Amino acid sequence: MLMVLHMFWILTLTGLVIVDSVTKAQNTDSTPLIIRHADRMIGSETESGATRQLDGNVQMLHGDVEIRCDRAQQELTTGRAELIGNVIIVQGTLKMTMQRGVYLSAERRAYGVGNVVIRDGAATLAAPQGEYFLDRRLAVFHRGVHFLDSNTTILADSMIYERTSGRRWAWRNVELFFLRQATTVRGDSAFDDPVTNTAIVMGRTLLMQSDSAATDTLYMRADSLRLRSDSARVRYLIAHGSVRLVRGAIRVCANHAELHGNDILVFSGNPIVWADSAQLSGETIRAELVDGRLRTVHAVGNAMLGIIEDSTCVVPHQLMADRIKLEFNSDSLRTVRGGGSVYTLYQHRTDDNRPDGITRVASDSIVIAFTGGQISRCTWLGKVHSEYVPEHRLDNAERYLRGFRWSSETKPTRDELLHASAEQKTH
């Protein structure tokens, strides 16, 4: 096994020269690597040139870099040093530890395997395999990375950490946990910048965000997510592509979504919103919440509303207008307001809940009041034109307003979003 590991290092890592306090290495780096201490040193000649075996409490210096380990083997000609046992590399506030590694003085690069950890102030980066470029102050870790700082935890297969700026790039099976915002995000790849408080997550993303002011959790899937916090720690979120959202009483499908803090949600790109008994669509939809509860949902541009009063209804009551506003109290629909080229279709029912014809009405505006989930009053205003069609004269096409779209089968659920995320992690 040791021979295999040794061959692994020889084949994959090259270019290190070590010198002691008397002899300088034969490399392009003018800064010598100085041996400060070793309990024993044995020099020998091999096919690759002069080598030195250092055993016991090995300590070396290379400019601003300090290296400590149990044993080391340096190749003076090739410029490579293998470090074995309790390896510690220190540069300023950075401390890198590993079970076994290689230090390349010409490249100023350290490579390690076996519980490789970098600690840099409040940040900690750990993985089974990793390398650190000392002059570029850049770490590249692989095979299951765990990153942690004062606000963020990142899990990923691989990750790059830029020490100077604090920026990090992660890819494959990425999970980000933002402590202050109580937010978790999963995706295929991610970029996180703590200076600008911006994170970008790409590829089959899932966001879960708890609201401290309410008891519900926001669940959102999208092709990509961009998250940003301002100086007051207010979170802004932009989602692109196949957006599906669940939060409390609201369900959404859209191509684009924007969330401003915890209270304002804006959807565009064929958006559809489900809330209580309503399905609302339009060119743009804006939802406002107070303490996690729906207050209003407002659709503008080719707005369409369908209302199902109970589970026995198959065809909804319908409203089409230039703009439609829904008003809620404790997540229950209380009032609907429509304006601009209003068209409504009301489904009549008999006392034993059978279809009993329809009423179509055109007007300039409408106000619909609800009580206990049922329509209790409708008021049409301006240029009202009404038509009743009895049941025996109806065909199926007449049960819908021309151009009306009903999409109940696409309504997202929490379990659906979580199940899709679980399937993603297994592949």
Side-chain angles (χ1 to χ4, degrees), residues 102-389:
V102 168
Y103 183 74
L104 309 173
S105 63
E107 301 177 30
R108 297 264 294 174
R109 177 164 67 99
Y111 179 89
V113 294
N115 193 29
V116 184
V117 179
I118 282 180
R119 293 180 175 85
D120 184 22
T124 300
L125 179 64
Q129 176 181 312
E131 59 185 326
Y132 177 60
F133 298 82
L134 289 101
D135 289 339
R136 294 170 60 190
R137 296 175 179 262
L138 186 75
V140 184
F141 277 38
H142 301 285
R143 299 176 59 188
V145 182
H146 188 151
F147 175 88
L148 174 68
D149 66 11
S150 59
N151 180 53
T152 308
T153 297
I154 302 175
L155 306 178
D157 287 357
S158 300
M159 181 173 169
I160 295 173
Y161 170 57
E162 191 176 71
R163 186 182 168 203
T164 302
S165 66
R167 294 181 296 183
R168 39 264 187 170
W169 294 260
W171 62 98
R172 297 178 65 178
N173 299 314
V174 179
E175 292 190 50
L176 298 93
F177 306 89
F178 299 100
L179 179 62
R180 297 190 190 102
Q181 294 81 18
T183 299
T184 300
V185 189
R186 299 173 186 166
D188 294 335
S189 62
F191 166 74
D192 184 36
D193 185 350
V195 176
T196 61
N197 292 315
T198 300
I200 300 172
V201 186
M202 304 289 292
R204 299 175 297 174
T205 65
L206 171 67
L207 177 139
M208 296 174 286
Q209 179 174 287
S210 299
D211 185 354
S212 59
T215 58
D216 65 327
T217 297
L218 167 67
Y219 299 89
M220 176 187 288
R221 292 193 65 83
D223 293 338
S224 66
L225 292 171
R226 182 183 181 93
L227 303 92
R228 181 178 62 84
S229 299
D230 62 16
S231 58
R233 295 183 180 176
V234 175
R235 170 57 56 91
Y236 299 90
L237 187 154
I238 298 175
H240 288 287
S242 302
V243 178
R244 297 178 70 80
L245 178 147
V246 174
R247 180 182 177 185
I250 191 171
R251 308 285 188 271
V252 183
C253 288
N255 291 324
H256 181 88
E258 298 184 19
L259 281 67
H260 304 266
N262 293 321
D263 301 325
I264 298 175
L265 302 87
V266 181
F267 307 99
S268 58
N270 301 312
I272 304 174
V273 172
W274 293 265
D276 197 8
S277 58
Q279 174 190 289
L280 180 65
S281 62
E283 295 176 4
T284 302
I285 300 179
R286 177 186 175 98
E288 296 187 8
L289 300 90
V290 176
D291 295 334
R293 298 284 192 175
L294 267 178
R295 177 62 60 86
T296 62
V297 181
H298 193 181
V300 177
N302 297 315
M304 301 183 194
L305 173 68
I307 298 290
I308 290 289
E309 291 184 296
D310 58 62
S311 58
T312 63
C313 296
V314 177
V315 182
H317 305 305
Q318 298 152 43
L319 166 61
M320 298 174 65
D322 293 340
R323 57 192 179 275
I324 299 173
K325 184 177 183 180
L326 313 183
E327 299 173 353
F328 296 82
N329 185 4
S330 298
D331 291 332
S332 295
L333 184 59
R334 293 292 185 247
T335 308
V336 172
R337 302 179 189 275
S341 301
V342 172
Y343 298 92
T344 62
L345 189 153
Y346 183 83
Q347 310 281 348
H348 293 281
R349 311 285 288 185
T350 63
D351 292 340
D352 55 359
N353 216 26
R354 290 181 300 168
D356 191 25
I358 64 169
T359 295
R360 288 191 289 254
V361 182
S363 64
D364 290 337
S365 64
I366 186 174
V367 178
I368 307 173
F370 289 78
T371 302
Q374 305 288 318
I375 296 175
S376 58
R377 182 183 179 87
C378 293
T379 303
W380 291 269
L381 300 170
K383 300 179 182 179
V384 178
H385 175 77
S386 177
E387 177 188 17
Y388 170 74
V389 182

